[in-house]
Amino acid sequence: MAKINVEQILDRAKLLNKKGRYRESYALYKQVLNSFPQNIRAKKAVEQLINIKINDSNHNPPSEVINKLLHLFNNKKFSSVIEKVQALTYQYPRASILWNILGISAYQTHMPDKAIKAYKKALSINPDYAEAYNNMGVALKDLGKIDKAIQIFNKAILIKPDYVEAYNNLGNAYKDQYKSEDAIKAYKKAISLKPDYAEAYNNLGNSLNDLGRFKEAIEFINKSISLKPNYVLAFNNLGVVLATQGKLDEAINAFKKALLINPDYADAYNNIGNALKDQGKIQDAIGAFKNAILINSDFSKAYNNIGKLLLDQGKFQDAIDEFKNALLADPSYLEAYNNKGIALGHQNKFQEAINVFKKAIILKPDYAEAFNNLGKVLDDQGKQ
């Protein structure tokens, strides 16, 4: 070990020590001592670190406690985890791992704001906690704070350059911004680090589909299925790509494979409904949409899809009822507002239609289709 390398290692160890990354710092100092047992700087640092690690151990609960929490988490008993972790944080307020577990449990129980607060606490204790950054990014993304999520995922990657999950999540965030090329780069980086990463192959296929690169999309989604044969989402996504190409029979077969693996996969039934509709099999399509709703009573898209088919059949009141159901499930569903307004217009209920179109426009001031339909209704009433 050359002298310059020894000095570099010692400087690196000192920096890690300042950041509270004691385990890594200790390992570097021991590396120096293995070659140079009398190195005074390394010997003193190791003595200090032994004391720090002894004292710091009091900040964390015993490993068996953590293991019990993780067992509960893996069995999806998230409320129990939250209750137990909150009690433990009074005893171990500086245990960053507890705050991270609290965060992921809160996220699983649909409390993203509480999750983010917990991750921030973890990071205030351990600023180099890459997993907490990654988990926070996921929560921010779900809250629609995509730019912030991207910054956070990049922080996780800066701390841990081989963090494959963070690259995959970064790709998902870019995809939500319709930045397909950036998403593809992130997914490919994840795959380069973990060549058997089925989720990244699937996500890569989805982004290629968004760019109309269907052959490549199918290739990568099939790769994800070869790595994970019971990958329900991949079979569903394969069906979506095939349907986009007009290969409806093949698409339906893919959706059915997803349902063989998970009979309660509502999205697959909804997608089968769309494919059947495109084949002109209207009643079969309605049946598929209803199956989706039987599984998920809040499936707003399935209600809307039934409503559109009824609207095309001239069954305006039945269609309106379905659009109402869609809006009960999702009060911000723009397309359902627009479709409901169209159906009301066909019933000559012009003022109700106007009110509905205006609701859609309030939610999305640049919603061109709602503006256009509003103009038609006003024109029908002679209100230019």
Side-chain angles (χ1 to χ4, degrees), residues 96 115 128 168 359:
S96 57
D128 292 320
N168 185 60
K359 281 184 181 178

Side-chain angles (χ1 to χ4, degrees), residues 148-164:
K148 184 63 176 176
I150 288 171
Q151 291 177 15
I152 295 298
F153 290 134
N154 278 318
K155 282 187 178 181
I157 291 165
L158 187 64
I159 295 166
K160 190 176 177 182
D162 60 349
Y163 198 168
V164 291

